[in-house]
Amino acid sequence: MSAGVLSGAAVALRRAIHHALAADAALTAALGGARIHDVPPAAPDFPYVTLGEAQVLDWSTATEAGAEHRLTLACWSRQGGHGEAHGLAHLVQQALHDAPLTLEGHRLVNLRMSAAEIRREPGGRTYRALLRFRAVTEAA
């Protein structure tokens, strides 16, 4: 896999995901605005969504360059209980699962949610819904 496919596809995919989430009316309404962060502010307004870790694997064939992406997103809530975290996770899934995102310089083959985990964080006040997605991209 060429370095351009690795970094370019990963950056383009992350940018497209951020844009899709920020443009989703139901999600932004539930968040109280477009509170989607790559790096959350020091004192974020709750609830919010963060784009987390990413793993990129070679998915190239003998003739085509490609990458498999394993992405983690998190929904953060302080709305007493799991309910809001579950609801936000559902909205993120609806916005991204099989979404036909446009990537600059690359083509998205598929984007699918593979797992979710909702839990109370240490301290008991904050809930986090951790969503894992898998995507495959090809060079355009």
Side-chain angles (χ1 to χ4, degrees), residues 19-36 88 91 94-95:
H19 178 73
L21 294 176
D24 187 270
L27 179 61
T28 57
L31 293 172
R35 296 182 189 152
I36 293 86
L88 293 171
L91 292 171
Q94 293 293 106

Side-chain angles (χ1 to χ4, degrees), residues 30-31 35 46-48 75-91 118 127 129:
L31 293 172
R35 296 182 189 152
F46 283 83
Y48 64 96
C75 303
W76 300 87
S77 170
R78 285 196 174 157
Q79 185 70 20
H82 288 88
E84 184 176 57
H86 274 277
L88 293 171
H90 175 73
L91 292 171
I118 292 88
Y127 287 82

Side-chain angles (χ1 to χ4, degrees), residues 63-138:
T63 58
E64 302 291 327
E68 176 185 2
H69 308 259
R70 296 179 187 168
L71 309 161
T72 303
L73 286 84
C75 303
W76 300 87
S77 170
R78 285 196 174 157
Q79 185 70 20
H82 288 88
E84 184 176 57
H86 274 277
L88 293 171
H90 175 73
L91 292 171
V92 169
Q93 177 190 8
Q94 293 293 106
L96 297 179
H97 187 82
D98 283 335
L101 305 181
T102 301
L103 279 59
E104 185 177 329
H106 303 273
R107 187 175 78 76
L108 180 63
V109 176
N110 64 30
L111 173 62
R112 308 213 61 171
M113 192 182 92
S114 59
E117 174 185 341
I118 292 88
R119 67 177 172 202
R120 183 181 8 230
E121 292 296 297
R125 186 171 172 216
T126 303
Y127 287 82
R128 176 177 60 150
L130 192 64
L131 295 95
R132 290 183 173 78
F133 285 84
R134 178 189 176 271
V136 175
T137 59
E138 297 175 338

Side-chain angles (χ1 to χ4, degrees), residues 28-55:
T28 57
L31 293 172
R35 296 182 189 152
I36 293 86
H37 306 288
D38 196 12
V39 177
D45 290 327
F46 283 83
Y48 64 96
V49 174
T50 55
L51 282 69
E53 294 78 25
Q55 181 182 26

